[in-house]
Amino acid sequence: MPKDPAHDLADDTPTLAGFDGPAHVAIIMDGNGRWAQARGRPRLFGHHAGARRVREVVECCPRLGIKYLTIFAFSTENWKRTQVEVAGLMSLFRRYISRELRALNAENVRVRFIGDRVRLDAKLVQLMDEVEEITRCNDRVHLTVALNYGSRDEVARATKRLAQDVADGHLKPADVDEETLPRYLDTRVLPDPDLVIRTSGEARISNFLLWQSAYAEYEFIDTLWPDFSAAELERLCRSFGTRDRRFGAVAK
Ligand code: FPP
């Protein structure tokens, strides 16, 4: 697909100097409900405010040197919420994907989705497929949206495919090692996250990228997602730059 000439301009964004930030940031966007409740509004009001934050965060990635951004939009456990909230979220995703995510094409952002699409409605899946196709050649920022995603579910689905390859004779059990399973995960084309952020003061990982985050750095911050800002992301990236990542080895 030919590139929009605007992409070349966008690619010139200078990154922050003298700063060794994360290449892949993953975010658990939590606190929308509490943000809305604090304003006496329904929970969906918070989700809409949260959706507006996503654009700002994606747009500041090039300046911060973030090449991959992965956001947790809906978990395999979120179906347990009320029917009104689930239906409202699905309608928000449809609208958001057809407007906002499509618009990100002009900014050379590649959009992908991870998670199990089987339970999602056909119209939503069609929009997801379309935006993935439209942005297929983009490479300024790789935005991955986790939708009906759960890490255990992902590992189970991956294992099923791996087992099928063994049964079909494409893979020998003796050749399975820790490089094998990641090739079957939804994230197979992505590098592992360097930094995982969770907003809203909860210090848990809630079934998000469990395999992939084995050596990630974590930040649990009090800010509710609709209040999160580019400035806060910059602060967290700067703090990441000061960490000594040893990956199990001894400090130099
Ligand atoms: C968690 O907050 C948030 C969600 C389950 C939904 C996340 C969705 C968005 C930020 C909006 C849309 C995103 C895209 C990509 C369109 P919560 O409801 O659990 O908040 P609470 O813990 O305060 O109740």
Side-chain angles (χ1 to χ4, degrees):
M1 187 192 288
K3 284 255 174 89
D4 184 326
H7 292 169
D8 299 332
L9 288 175
D11 282 338
D12 288 341
T13 311
T15 49
L16 292 175
F19 150 94
D20 190 15
H24 185 175
V25 174
I27 309 183
I28 302 174
M29 307 179 290
D30 196 12
N32 296 345
R34 275 164 284 167
W35 186 90
Q37 275 157 1
R39 286 159 180 78
R41 304 297 298 269
R43 297 176 57 79
L44 276 167
F45 181 73
H47 294 315
H48 282 263
R52 286 194 291 276
R53 282 290 128 198
V54 172
R55 184 81 185 254
E56 176 187 343
V57 169
V58 175
E59 284 178 348
C60 75
C61 284
R63 192 175 61 85
L64 299 177
I66 299 169
K67 198 76 193 163
Y68 295 86
L69 177 71
T70 300
I71 55 174
F72 206 178
F74 193 87
S75 76
T76 45
E77 289 74 33
N78 286 151
W79 298 103
K80 294 177 200 156
R81 295 184 175 209
T82 64
Q83 206 260 330
V84 169
E85 185 169 352
V86 170
L89 275 167
M90 292 301 149
S91 151
L92 169 62
F93 295 145
R94 280 194 297 274
R95 237 177 320 151
Y96 193 85
I97 292 167
S98 52
R99 290 189 200 156
E100 293 284 321
L101 294 187
R102 264 173 185 274
L104 287 175
N105 186 38
E107 301 190 33
N108 196 5
V109 175
R110 179 161 186 175
V111 180
R112 293 184 179 89
F113 296 91
I114 54 172
D116 190 359
R117 299 183 190 198
V118 169
R119 195 169 169 185
L120 300 174
D121 81 51
K123 176 69 189 162
L124 178 58
V125 173
Q126 186 194 337
L127 291 167
M128 291 158 68
D129 289 342
E130 277 170 19
V131 82
E132 281 188 333
E133 178 56 29
I134 289 167
T135 63
R136 193 167 51 90
C137 299
N138 297 345
D139 62 1
R140 186 173 175 227
V141 177
H142 294 254
L143 171 66
T144 303
V145 181
L147 224 172
N148 194 28
Y149 174 86
S151 214
R152 289 179 171 183
D153 174 70
E154 177 192 33
V155 171
R157 286 185 287 107
T159 308
K160 208 179 288 181
R161 288 195 292 270
L162 191 156
Q164 190 62 53
D165 275 353
V166 170
D168 294 346
H170 301 313
L171 187 66
K172 293 196 196 82
D175 292 339
V176 174
D177 60 18
E178 65 178 76
E179 308 293 323
T180 314
L181 186 68
R183 296 203 296 267
Y184 291 83
L185 294 174
D186 297 350
T187 52
R188 54 193 161 269
V189 297
L190 304 176
D192 286 344
D194 301 297
L195 173 64
V196 178
I197 299 168
R198 182 177 189 137
T199 58
S200 94
E202 312 289 353
R204 54 177 174 262
I205 201 66
S206 298
N207 204 10
F208 187 47
L209 302 176
L210 300 180
W211 175 283
Q212 298 88 339
S213 301
Y215 280 101
E217 301 290 324
Y218 287 87
E219 288 279 6
F220 298 102
I221 59 168
D222 288 337
T223 309
L224 302 176
W225 174 252
D227 292 328
F228 191 75
S229 63
E232 189 145 34
L233 182 57
E234 178 172 339
R235 178 181 69 76
L236 298 173
C237 288
R238 285 187 184 279
S239 164
F240 172 92
T242 65
R243 294 194 190 188
D244 179 20
R245 299 182 81 199
R246 296 196 292 275
F247 300 95
V250 180
K252 284 187 203 129

